Amino acid sequence: MAELSDSLPADQFPPMPDIDLDMPMEDAERESPITPIVVSSNPDPGEARLEARDAAKYLLAKSYFDCREYDRCAAVFLPFNLSRESVSATTPSKLSKGKGRESGPNTLAAPIAPRNTLPQLSQKALFVALYAKYLSGEKRRDEESEVILGPADGGTTVNKELVDLGRILEAWFADRAAKGLDGKNQGWLEYLYGVVLIKGKSKEVGKEWLLKSVNRCPYNWSAWLELSDIIDSHEQLMEMAHRLPCKVTSSIFFVYAGQELGKTYEELEKTLTEIERVFPTNLFLKTQRAMLLYHSKAIEQAESTFSEILHADPYRVDYLHHYSDILFVQEAMPKLAFLAQTMTAADKFRPETCYVVGNYYSSKSEHEKSVMYFRRALTLDRSFHPAWTLMGHEYMELKNTHAAIESYRRVVDINWKDHKAWYGLGNTYEILGMNMYALFYFQRAVSLRPHDTKFWQAIGSCYDKINKPRQSIKAWKQALRADRRSSSYDAGSSFGSGTAGVETAGSPDILFNIALMYEKVGEKDVAAEWMELTMESEEDEVQGTGVTKTTSEARMWVARYEMHRGNLKRAFMLANQMCQDEYEPEDAKALTRELRTRMESDKL
C-alpha cells in the first residue's frame, strides 16, 4: 500500500516547488498556495511543509525500514552516489612530491570545508534514510563476521558506512549552522551523529552530540542508553547532571545509569520511589528496582519482584534473562524451566530467550547444549554481552580456556562495565597459574563492584599466591566489610591492625583466611584472635553457621596454639569438642591422646 501511495501519476497533483527555509511564512504562502495532501503536526512551518511534501515517500521508506530492507529505505530519499560525492567533497588534497613551501602544485592544500550535497529533505525523512544506512552497515558487518568466534569474528570487521555517515552529518550540521537554523534541530540527527562518532572512537565528541540530542528530544530513550554506555564513573554522571533537561526522563536515566555503575540500593531507592509515584505500574521501573535488589544481594526480594513482572506481562521478555540468573543461583529449576517455556512461547528468536534456555541447560550440566543456545543468542545479536559472559563460563566448564578468554574479552570490548566478565578473566588466568594477570582482572572487577565479597576474596587469594601477605590481609578485611554489608551489618567500621575497632561478624572462611595471613607474617597472637573469632561465628545471632569444616580447622589451630603455650586444659577441651564434630575426628583423637599423655606426665 505504501508503494501505491508513492506511485500516483505526477500530473494528477501539481508539483510543490522547492522551499527556501529562510523565507518568511507569508512569502512562503504566496509562493506555495497548493494545499498538501497530508498536513504535518510539526510546529516549525518550514519542517511542516517538507514533511507534508515527503509524506508519501516517508511512508514507503518506513515500510521498507520495518521490513528491514535498509538499503531500499535509504534509496527512497538518498541518491545511490551520495556517499561517493560526500567523500570526494570532504577529502583534502594529498601532498605531492616536492619541497616547495609557496603555493603551487607541490603544496599541501588546506582541507576543504564539508559541503552539504544532500537533497532538501525534512529532518524526519533524513533521519530515517541515514539511520537505515547505519543499520545496513551494521547488518553487513555481522554478515562478514560469519560464525561466532570464527577467524573473521572480531575487531577486523567494521561498519563501512560510518565514515560516509560522519561526513554527511558533519556537512549537514555545518550547513544548518551557517544558515542559523541549528536552533531548530529536532535531536534525532544529533543522536545518530553521536552514535557514529562513538563507534568511530571519538567518545568525548560523541557525548557532546548525545547531550544535544537528549536536550532537544528528551523522550528518545535510545539516546539516553548510548549516553549511559559511555559514562565511566559516578563523578562523570554527577558532572553531567546540570547539562540534562529537567524532565522525568533525566531521573529515570540517573536510576538506570547509577544501577549500571554499581550504585547501591540505598543510594537510588529514594529517586526510584519518587518516579514510581508518578508511574506506579510501569514495568520498566519495577525491573530497575529488581536489578538494584539483585546487585545488593537481596536475592529473595529481587526474585519476587521479577515474578510480579512476569505475571503482569508474560509476553515481555526484556530483562528476564537477569531473572534466569537469579533462579540459577537459587537452584530453582522448576521456575527456570517454566520461565524458559514462557519466553519460548512468547518469542523464540529473541536473544534473551536463547539466553534463558542456555541457562536452563547449564543448570542441568548439559554444557554443550548451553553453549549452542548462547551462540544462537549471539547470532541474533552479537552485542548481547550477557550471552558472551555465560558462554565463557560454559567454556570453562568444558575446560576450553582459550575460548573462555576470548568470550570474556568480547564482553569487555562491548561493555567494559560488565564486572562478571572481568572476574571471569581473572578466574581463568588464576586457573592457568598466571596470578599477576588474574590480580589485574580481579582489581578491575572490584573497581566496578566494590561491595562484592567474592571479588575481594579473589584478590586476597591472588596476593597470597604471589607472596604478598600484607596486601592479602587488607583484601580479606575488605571482603569481611563487604560480607557484613550484604548481611545487613554496619559497614562503617574501620579495619586497623589486628581486631581492634572491628565489628568482626562475618563468614568463617574470611576470618580464617585473615588468621592464616597473620600467621604467615609471624604475628601468631593476632592470628589466634582471628581464629577465636572464626570459632565464635558458629554461634553468631544473625548469621551463625554452626560447625563447619573451617571452624573445625580453626578449633584445631587454637588447640595446638594453646598446647604450645602450655595451656593444656583449654587445648584438651577444644580437642574433645573436635572429637564430637564430623570433621577430622582422627586428628582430634590423636591430639587428645597427646594432650592426655602430657597432662599425666606433668602430674608426675
Side-chain angles (χ1 to χ4, degrees):
M1 294 302 294
E3 287 184 336
L4 290 176
S5 66
D6 191 49
S7 59
L8 295 171
D11 56 0
Q12 289 192 18
F13 302 98
M16 293 184 68
D18 289 338
I19 300 169
D20 183 2
L21 297 182
D22 296 330
M23 186 185 304
M25 186 63 187
E26 56 274 12
D27 294 342
E29 291 174 355
R30 288 196 299 269
E31 292 278 341
S32 179
I34 302 166
T35 303
I37 301 173
V38 179
V39 178
S40 171
S41 61
N42 196 308
D44 180 12
E47 282 294 320
R49 292 195 296 272
L50 289 173
E51 289 179 10
R53 186 196 65 185
D54 297 334
K57 284 188 175 182
Y58 176 79
L59 291 174
L60 176 61
K62 188 64 169 60
S63 299
Y64 289 148
F65 187 93
D66 294 338
C67 295
R68 298 187 180 184
E69 296 186 53
Y70 300 123
D71 288 323
R72 290 185 76 186
C73 173
V76 171
F77 290 112
L78 302 178
F80 291 105
N81 61 345
L82 178 64
S83 296
R84 185 160 52 251
E85 290 178 1
S86 299
V87 173
S88 63
T90 57
T91 304
S93 303
K94 295 184 178 180
L95 181 63
S96 304
K97 295 181 179 180
K99 299 181 181 179
R101 291 189 177 183
E102 303 299 328
S103 60
N106 299 328
T107 305
L108 179 63
I112 302 173
R115 181 169 57 88
N116 183 17
T117 58
L118 292 168
Q120 192 179 35
L121 298 170
S122 66
Q123 294 183 48
K124 183 167 72 171
L126 183 60
F127 172 76
V128 169
L130 294 181
Y131 192 55
K133 285 182 70 67
Y134 167 75
L135 292 180
S136 174
E138 291 288 295
K139 180 181 176 183
R140 206 165 286 119
R141 183 201 63 186
D142 290 343
E143 290 169 352
E144 292 172 358
S145 298
E146 299 176 351
V147 297
I148 302 297
L149 292 180
D153 182 26
T156 56
T157 54
V158 296
N159 185 341
K160 297 178 181 177
E161 300 288 347
L162 291 179
V163 175
D164 292 344
L165 285 172
R167 287 169 174 164
I168 291 170
L169 287 166
E170 180 187 7
W172 188 84
F173 283 114
D175 182 59
R176 295 279 293 183
K179 294 178 179 178
L181 298 173
D182 49 350
K184 296 183 178 181
N185 294 346
Q186 297 173 357
W188 299 97
L189 291 166
E190 284 85 350
Y191 155 69
L192 179 58
Y193 194 29
V195 171
V196 169
L197 289 169
I198 292 168
K199 292 278 187 179
K201 309 301 181 184
S202 299
K203 188 171 77 170
E204 288 302 318
V205 183
K207 181 172 74 173
E208 296 300 319
W209 284 97
L210 288 176
L211 285 170
K212 292 180 182 179
S213 175
V214 297
N215 276 280
R216 287 172 179 164
C217 183
Y219 300 106
N220 177 16
W221 185 243
S222 297
W224 292 104
L225 292 178
E226 293 290 340
L227 201 56
S228 173
D229 288 343
I230 60 174
I231 295 176
D232 297 335
S233 63
H234 303 295
E235 291 73 21
Q236 282 192 14
L237 181 61
M238 299 312 297
E239 289 173 3
M240 196 183 293
H242 70 280
R243 303 182 61 186
L244 298 176
C246 295
K247 302 285 185 181
V248 68
T249 46
S250 296
S251 299
I252 298 173
F253 169 73
F254 269 104
V255 172
Y256 176 84
Q259 180 260 121
E260 289 288 310
L261 289 169
K263 280 194 171 185
T264 62
Y265 181 80
E266 293 78 10
E267 293 175 297
L268 297 174
E269 196 271 339
K270 182 179 178 182
T271 305
L272 182 57
T273 302
E274 290 176 354
I275 303 171
E276 285 181 326
R277 289 197 187 101
V278 182
F279 307 102
T281 60
N282 185 269
L283 295 182
F284 175 79
L285 296 177
K286 285 189 176 182
T287 301
Q288 295 307 303
R289 181 175 292 278
M291 292 299 299
L292 287 171
L293 291 167
Y294 174 47
H295 291 316
S296 299
K297 306 299 182 184
I299 302 298
E300 295 293 336
Q301 292 175 299
E303 191 276 329
S304 176
T305 306
F306 270 120
S307 179
E308 292 174 6
I309 294 169
L310 181 63
H311 283 88
D313 187 356
Y315 297 102
R316 185 180 189 272
V317 300
D318 296 332
Y319 290 94
L320 288 184
H321 57 286
H322 294 295
Y323 185 28
S324 73
D325 290 337
I326 294 172
L327 297 176
F328 183 92
V329 171
Q330 290 182 322
E331 299 182 357
M333 298 305 108
K335 286 186 177 181
L336 184 55
F338 173 75
L339 178 64
Q341 291 174 349
T342 302
M343 293 183 68
T344 302
D347 190 348
K348 66 167 62 176
F349 295 111
R350 282 283 294 271
E352 292 90 344
T353 302
C354 297
Y355 178 99
V356 172
V357 176
N359 232 350
Y360 169 71
Y361 281 116
S362 178
S363 69
K364 296 176 65 179
S365 298
E366 297 183 30
H367 302 298
E368 292 84 359
K369 279 189 176 181
S370 181
V371 168
M372 180 184 73
Y373 274 94
F374 290 137
R375 292 175 74 95
R376 187 175 295 178
L378 293 168
T379 302
L380 294 168
D381 183 3
R382 288 176 190 261
S383 63
F384 187 61
H385 60 87
W388 283 111
T389 303
L390 286 204
M391 192 165 72
H393 294 348
E394 295 306 304
Y395 278 127
M396 285 299 297
E397 294 290 339
L398 296 170
K399 311 301 181 186
N400 189 345
T401 54
H402 176 74
I405 289 172
E406 187 61 27
S407 299
Y408 292 136
R409 289 194 185 281
R410 296 300 174 84
V411 181
V412 298
D413 287 341
I414 297 168
N415 179 17
W416 69 270
K417 290 180 283 190
D418 191 316
H419 57 283
K420 294 180 182 178
W422 290 112
Y423 178 79
L425 280 169
N427 190 41
T428 307
Y429 279 110
E430 187 178 28
I431 291 171
L432 294 174
M434 305 171 72
N435 294 309
M436 292 301 293
Y437 284 92
L439 180 61
F440 170 77
Y441 292 119
F442 286 143
Q443 287 172 336
R444 292 299 298 268
V446 84
S447 68
L448 294 168
R449 288 290 187 275
H451 304 303
D452 197 300
T453 308
K454 180 172 63 175
F455 297 166
W456 285 113
Q457 288 176 303
I459 291 174
S461 177
C462 271
Y463 274 127
D464 181 27
K465 290 176 181 177
I466 62 176
N467 199 28
K468 291 187 176 181
R470 290 289 180 188
Q471 286 85 345
S472 180
I473 289 171
K474 292 178 182 178
W476 281 107
K477 286 183 176 180
Q478 288 287 354
L480 181 60
R481 177 183 284 115
D483 184 64
R484 288 174 50 245
R485 183 188 185 94
S486 64
S487 303
S488 300
Y489 277 80
D490 175 25
S493 59
S494 60
F495 291 89
S497 62
T499 61
V502 179
E503 294 289 341
T504 49
S507 167
D509 294 324
I510 299 174
L511 297 168
F512 184 72
N513 277 284
I514 294 173
L516 291 180
M517 290 301 102
Y518 274 114
E519 182 186 21
K520 212 169 197 180
V521 297
E523 299 182 20
K524 285 200 171 183
D525 292 340
V526 179
E529 294 180 29
W530 285 96
M531 288 296 182
E532 294 281 0
L533 293 170
T534 305
M535 292 190 297
E536 290 174 9
S537 66
E538 293 177 345
E539 309 299 331
D540 184 77
E541 294 181 0
V542 178
Q543 55 176 145
T545 60
V547 178
T548 65
K549 187 175 186 298
T550 301
T551 57
S552 291
E553 289 177 358
R555 189 171 283 105
M556 173 68 79
W557 190 97
V558 174
R560 294 186 185 279
Y561 172 76
E562 295 292 353
M563 183 179 70
H564 288 114
R565 290 180 62 196
N567 191 354
L568 300 181
K569 287 186 178 180
R570 184 158 192 264
F572 186 76
M573 180 192 69
L574 292 170
N576 272 333
Q577 290 177 0
M578 289 185 61
C579 291
Q580 301 171 10
D581 297 343
E582 58 180 308
Y583 304 101
E584 302 180 7
E586 296 302 323
D587 292 342
K589 290 176 182 178
L591 181 60
T592 303
R593 287 193 295 268
E594 181 182 352
L595 286 166
R596 185 180 291 113
T597 302
R598 288 186 58 176
M599 290 170 69
E600 289 174 355
S601 64
D602 288 346
K603 288 180 182 179
L604 297 175

